Amino acid sequence: MKKIFLLLLLNLFIVFPAFAIDNALLNDVENNYQKMKNFKAEFKQELFHRESNTIQKRTGFLEFMPPTFIHWETNAPNKELIVCNSKEVWNYLPDEELAYRYHTKVLDESHAVLSVITGQARIKDNFEVEPLETKEKNIQDFILYPLESNPQMVEITLSIDTKTKLIKKVVVLDFFGNLNTIEFTKFSENTKIDKKDFKLTLPEEVEIEDHYNKK
């Protein structure tokens, strides 16, 4: 997986619950997430590639503990694992027997989307927020426009469950017209999470591309 896609995924988790803007629903969501000690979530993902007009569908699960402990795992047809802890970030592709290692500062290289879900940055400082008319019951949509130009993320559409005050879906549009859609199908907060999930042990045959000390 290219580094640009890794950054997009990582940013999907770091901005969200700090929605300090004048909106009662978003404030409730912010407070909800900030009270969580951790969460687990299952999701469906669709990656639309505009140039080839193709859609790749995957399922997976996510575990998160603040501030930046993340375990992101997707299943077939393209298995992938992203593990973040306090020291390093790993992106492991089992089918390719390949793994990428990065410094945790990679989380700061783009201010957008693993922020939108885990609450490490303030939306009002990075985005213009616009509510959308929503036809689906108990769902409110918002569109987020980055205040600074970012080709990885031209806009984000957030779907909020108005009953649970949780994110239901995130859709990221990039400069090239590609779409990354993540819809959460199951969510458990303040649950048991094994800290071993935030460490990665690789088979001996896996090739490692180490970018830890690279700028």
Side-chain angles (χ1 to χ4, degrees), residues 21 36 40 51 66 74 79 81 144 148 169 179 187 196 209:
I21 62 176
M36 295 181 192
K40 291 183 178 181
E51 184 175 356
T74 56
K79 292 186 178 182
L81 179 63
L144 278 58
E148 295 183 7
K169 184 166 66 175
L179 292 172
F187 192 98
K196 292 182 180 179
E209 288 196 14

Side-chain angles (χ1 to χ4, degrees), residues 21-29 165:
I21 62 176
D22 294 330
N23 183 287
L25 174 59
L26 294 182
N27 286 336
D28 286 346
V29 175
K165 307 298 191 298

Side-chain angles (χ1 to χ4, degrees), residues 13-14 17 32-40 63-71 84-86 107 114 117-120 189-191 193 195 198:
F13 301 94
I14 300 169
N32 191 15
Y33 276 80
Q34 288 181 344
K35 291 177 181 177
M36 295 181 192
K37 296 180 180 179
N38 62 55
F39 68 75
K40 291 183 178 181
E63 295 178 328
F64 172 75
M65 291 176 59
T68 56
F69 286 83
I70 299 164
H71 181 108
C84 308
N85 52 50
S86 60
L107 298 171
L114 269 192
I117 298 177
T118 59
Q120 304 299 304
E189 60 184 273
N190 301 328
T191 185
I193 293 180
K195 287 191 175 181
F198 305 111

Side-chain angles (χ1 to χ4, degrees), residues 34-74:
Q34 288 181 344
K35 291 177 181 177
M36 295 181 192
K37 296 180 180 179
N38 62 55
F39 68 75
K40 291 183 178 181
E42 296 178 8
F43 61 84
K44 297 187 295 184
Q45 182 181 25
E46 284 192 3
L47 299 169
F48 170 70
H49 190 264
R50 182 178 180 182
E51 184 175 356
S52 61
N53 195 33
T54 57
I55 296 177
Q56 181 186 98
K57 295 183 179 182
R58 307 193 293 187
T59 61
F61 71 92
L62 161 70
E63 295 178 328
F64 172 75
M65 291 176 59
T68 56
F69 286 83
I70 299 164
H71 181 108
W72 166 285
E73 188 167 342
T74 56

